[in-house]
Amino acid sequence: MKILVLGSGAREHAIVTSLLSEEADHRIVVAPGNAGIAAEAAVEPGLDPLDGEAVTEYAIENGIELVVIGPEAPLVAGVADPLRTRGIPVFGPGKVAAQLEGSKTFAKRIMDAAGVPTGRAVRASTLAEAESALDTFGAPYVVKADGLAAGKGVLVTSDREAAVAHATHWLGHGGVLIEEFLDGQEVSLFLVSDGHNVLPLSPAQDYKRLLDGDGGPNTGGMGAYSPLPWLPENFVDEVIDTVALPTVRQLAKEQTPFIGLLYCGLIMTSRGIRVIEFNARFGDPETQVVLPRLVTPLSSLLFAAATGALAGVPRPEFALDTAVTVVLASEGYPEAPQTGRPITGLDEAARVPEVTIAHAATARDEETGALLATGGRVLSVVARGTTFAEARARAYEAVALIELPGSHFRTDIAARVAD
Ligand code: AMP
Ligand code: GLY
């Protein structure tokens, strides 16, 4: 199949690696891609993934049979819509359904209408409303930017002044939600949706905070592991029945079917499962630990979803081993990442058994050919193992072989399941 993947991160690298691992002769092109992706697939650095008309023209001219939209920005910008209008199968929701991720207010309205369990929340339009909601819910305070914020929109704190400062900032940038604090283990569950039916992938856990022991600010994600051996047996079915299907049905009822990846960000509270957020695309870094264990061909799932043909497709199968990913970040990430620095040692790291390296933000220096870091999260080092202890040891052995001046990573990824 001729597949166009939009995006340039480790998630897209993992998607490409998974598609290339199939016993099929796919021709894959990625726009814009990165240095790691370019080593495996064709890239189109000049094609702007945010320009729906340009992407559609490209897809038509090049006989693309499936477009996979990786990141949230093109989804929220509505890039899927012109593709769908022209009859090109596209994995990714249109502009309205992508509001499930793009607007927390929209997501709360859909959840209310569908009876999906989530935290109580108040949308504040003035500081007075925000402060009153903070006092109603009490500490710890949860303050959320309403729109896309690249993982930086949520503050969970017991410091009322910090909560007020965060609310003040985001009130000036699109609006703020104050939410009740939910206590419990977090789970990321991805479901492939064709607008009516859903199929679950293997659950994963993300490490959102910057520092060991869940300290420091929220980030885009510093590591992940999958599967989750501590989940109750009926967890996935419960999420399908109480969260995913009601949400997908509500969107279908509103004539805006959700075709793509429904990312359910969940907390298992003592009162049951609660949704903390939806995303409209594969999560990063969870994708890097979910897709390597997928046995069912990824392209068959994405194509069936894109063409409305998921009914009757069996649940995707996963290998029974474990996967762990550790994210290597640039100095200064997340506030002010230092970029342009050289990365070495990748070949040695990739030789550690069962290790693959997904590039998140890399480019080749045109003159010297050196590999350079171009963003905050630079690499996602992925390892598989029979046990979590084995996968974790391999991931950290590989990370230790990589040199990027000033870089940092968490040392406790998957520690809680590796005993
Ligand atoms: P989000 O961007 O919505 O995924 O939120 C980022 C992180 O903030 C989540 O992964 C949680 O760790 C935390 N968080 C979000 N909402 C809540 C909540 N209502 N209660 C507790 N923690 C939350
Ligand atoms: N891992 C969190 C996200 O992709 O939003």
Side-chain angles (χ1 to χ4, degrees):
M1 208 186 310
K2 231 177 156 185
I3 306 173
L4 170 63
V5 179
L6 300 183
S8 63
R11 162 186 48 217
E12 288 75 29
H13 196 171
I15 290 171
V16 168
T17 302
S18 183
L19 293 170
L20 288 173
S21 74
E22 295 175 16
E23 281 175 26
D25 196 17
H26 296 314
R27 273 174 298 162
I28 295 171
V29 55
V30 186
N34 62 36
I37 294 171
E40 289 183 38
V43 293
E44 283 288 354
L47 178 58
D48 179 1
L50 291 173
D51 184 341
E53 294 306 326
V55 169
T56 306
E57 283 313 309
Y58 180 92
I60 292 168
E61 276 168 25
N62 291 278
I64 298 294
E65 294 158 280
L66 173 67
V67 180
V68 181
I69 303 181
E72 58 274 26
L75 291 167
V76 171
V79 170
D81 294 321
L83 286 160
R84 221 162 255 136
T85 304
R86 300 296 292 270
I88 299 163
V90 47
F91 186 78
K95 186 173 187 158
V96 179
Q99 289 298 302
L100 209 51
E101 168 162 6
S103 159
K104 303 233 183 242
T105 307
F106 179 90
K108 287 284 184 198
R109 182 182 71 69
I110 296 293
M111 284 189 271
D112 280 349
V116 168
T118 183
R120 286 174 299 142
V122 170
R123 191 182 196 284
S125 1
T126 64
L127 193 54
E129 280 172 22
E131 290 206 50
S132 141
L134 288 173
D135 294 334
T136 306
F137 291 133
Y141 305 106
V142 180
V143 183
K144 298 189 170 187
D146 193 14
L148 289 187
K152 293 169 200 161
V154 177
L155 181 69
V156 181
T157 180
S158 290
D159 176 347
R160 194 176 179 284
E161 259 176 56
V164 170
H166 194 73
T168 306
H169 173 81
W170 288 103
L171 274 170
H173 293 83
V176 154
L177 248 73
I178 309 294
E179 196 170 280
E180 72 174 315
F181 177 77
L182 300 169
D183 195 15
Q185 283 296 327
E186 285 186 43
V187 180
S188 301
L189 183 66
F190 300 165
L191 299 109
V192 175
S193 169
D194 69 358
H196 301 278
N197 309 286
V198 298
L199 286 177
L201 303 185
S202 185
Q205 190 168 51
D206 179 16
Y207 288 72
K208 289 228 167 80
R209 299 282 187 139
L210 183 69
L211 304 174
D212 283 4
D214 290 332
N218 268 325
T219 69
M222 295 301 291
Y225 67 92
S226 177
L228 307 184
W230 42 265
L231 276 182
E233 208 181 315
N234 63 348
F235 180 85
V236 169
D237 290 310
E238 190 176 337
V239 176
I240 290 175
D241 292 343
T242 64
V243 176
L245 277 180
T247 300
V248 163
R249 285 187 184 137
Q250 183 63 31
L251 287 165
K253 200 164 113 189
E254 299 189 9
Q255 309 301 323
T256 55
F258 188 96
I259 299 166
L261 199 286
L262 180 64
Y263 167 136
C264 300
L266 307 154
I267 290 198
M268 290 172 59
T269 74
S270 56
R271 289 173 294 137
I273 296 169
R274 297 283 183 278
V275 174
I276 41 171
E277 65 164 346
F278 283 125
N279 291 321
R281 35 99 196 153
F282 283 100
D284 188 339
E286 296 97 313
T287 300
Q288 291 91 295
V289 288
V290 171
L291 292 188
R293 295 177 38 254
L294 177 65
V295 176
T296 309
L298 176 63
S299 66
S300 68
L301 296 172
L302 305 187
F303 189 76
T307 53
L310 274 188
V313 174
R315 277 200 189 178
E317 278 180 56
F318 284 85
L320 295 176
D321 65 347
T322 70
V324 172
T325 188
V326 177
V327 171
L328 188 73
S330 289
E331 181 174 352
Y333 177 76
E335 278 84 17
Q338 302 296 308
T339 59
R341 293 182 180 168
I343 309 162
T344 53
L346 280 193
D347 292 343
E348 292 81 352
R351 278 199 287 272
V352 176
E354 297 295 325
V355 164
T356 51
I357 295 165
H359 289 228
T362 63
R364 290 267 167 209
D365 183 305
E366 278 181 23
E367 276 169 30
T368 65
L371 188 67
L372 304 177
T374 58
R377 292 191 295 170
V378 180
L379 298 167
S380 188
V381 177
V382 185
R384 294 176 65 177
T386 311
T387 62
F388 279 112
E390 189 177 48
R392 198 175 122 73
R394 286 170 170 161
Y396 280 110
E397 182 186 344
V399 168
L401 292 166
I402 299 171
E403 280 285 324
L404 168 61
S407 63
H408 55 99
F409 56 89
R410 275 182 70 154
T411 67
D412 62 348
I413 306 300
R416 61 185 297 262
V417 285
D419 300 332

